[in-house]
Amino acid sequence: MKNIAVLASGRGSNLEAIIKNIKNGTLHANLACVISDREDANALAIARDAGYKALYLDPGPKKTWLLPEYEEKYVTTLQDHKIDLVCLSGFMRIIKQPLLTAFAGRILNIHPSLLPAFPGLEVQKKALEYGVKFSGCTVHFVDDTVDGGPIIAQAAVPILDDDDADTLAARILKEEHRIYTEAINLVLSGKYKIEGRRVIKTG
Ligand code: GRF
């Protein structure tokens, strides 16, 4: 069984879904550790309560990313736990060096829009303001762009006339919990190839 780590800064509902799917046998992975840049992250409490290793790692002085010497601690911790795949889930830091190189092609992120539409933050609000009729979620590989790496899985949801950012976020979240597991299974299986930006199943 391959080892995954979840990196999360907040609520942890995707982590909860990952744990549930590991327990019910639909996600074929061992959750070796959960790491947060926030000591009070609910995700750490979820991990601890479920009996998984939960670690707070000091993010250092920067607000949106980690200085190399702080990110290095993330790398060594992931290596110490023999992590095969790093799953970002609401981890509010831009990934840089040395993590990107140490885990090249082995970091996934989930984003609550149909990328490349609406990268960044507050994206449900942006989708409503723009007036799109569908939004959704995307699981993608992490590279040196923000929300810009090759797309592994997406799911679309309709936007209803009476939606606000919260009702839309809830509809999208349900799909996030489903497709993150599918994407992790695919990447861990190794049965895919990347041609240009396209992630193509081979199995
Ligand atoms: C999710 O909407 C995810 O797409 C985004 O951050 C949110 C994290 O939610 N990257 P949770 O912590 O998994 O509940």
Side-chain angles (χ1 to χ4, degrees):
M1 195 78 87
K2 298 235 165 121
N3 287 331
I4 65 169
V6 170
L7 268 58
S9 301
R11 180 178 54 185
S13 74
N14 276 287
L15 169 67
E16 235 169 354
I18 284 170
I19 290 173
K20 180 176 146 232
N21 289 341
I22 287 175
K23 289 193 168 158
N24 71 22
T26 49
L27 176 50
H28 313 296
N30 172 48
L31 178 60
C33 62
V34 174
I35 301 175
S36 184
D37 59 333
R38 293 191 49 159
E39 224 165 351
D40 61 351
N42 193 46
L44 289 181
I46 290 172
R48 258 183 240 114
D49 289 350
Y52 292 96
K53 192 153 183 186
L55 301 166
Y56 161 71
L57 292 184
D58 185 356
K62 298 286 181 191
K63 286 218 176 339
T64 53
W65 47 287
L66 308 162
L67 288 172
E69 59 267 39
Y70 288 86
E71 213 184 70
E72 180 64 32
K73 184 78 194 11
Y74 281 70
V75 171
T76 52
T77 304
L78 293 165
Q79 287 169 339
D80 288 349
H81 288 85
K82 304 203 176 338
I83 298 302
D84 297 294
L85 188 66
V86 179
C87 304
L88 309 183
S89 121
F91 187 63
M92 302 302 284
R93 304 273 170 175
I94 296 167
I95 305 299
K96 291 176 178 276
Q97 298 300 346
L99 184 49
L100 270 181
T101 297
F103 283 83
R106 296 192 294 145
I107 309 174
L108 307 187
N109 183 43
I110 183 143
H111 182 79
S113 77
L114 290 175
L115 291 170
F118 312 121
L121 299 174
E122 299 202 329
V123 298
Q124 295 89 353
K125 188 167 162 268
K126 286 180 193 162
L128 287 169
E129 280 171 4
Y130 197 94
V132 292
K133 298 300 183 192
F134 283 87
S135 189
C137 48
T138 303
V139 182
H140 62 92
F141 285 106
V142 173
D143 61 13
D144 59 359
T145 62
V146 174
D147 299 326
I151 291 169
I152 303 157
Q154 289 187 306
V157 305
I159 294 185
L160 308 180
D161 288 344
D162 60 356
D163 266 337
D164 59 26
D166 291 337
T167 57
L168 176 58
R171 191 174 307 118
I172 292 172
L173 204 58
K174 221 174 141 199
E175 297 302 307
E176 292 187 33
H177 296 166
R178 181 176 62 80
I179 69 167
Y180 213 176
T181 285
E182 290 175 8
I184 294 168
N185 274 335
L186 175 68
V187 173
L188 288 181
S189 77
K191 292 180 180 163
Y192 66 95
K193 59 183 176 177
I194 302 181
E195 284 181 2
R197 288 196 43 87
R198 298 183 69 196
V199 178
I200 298 167
K201 287 182 193 166
T202 55

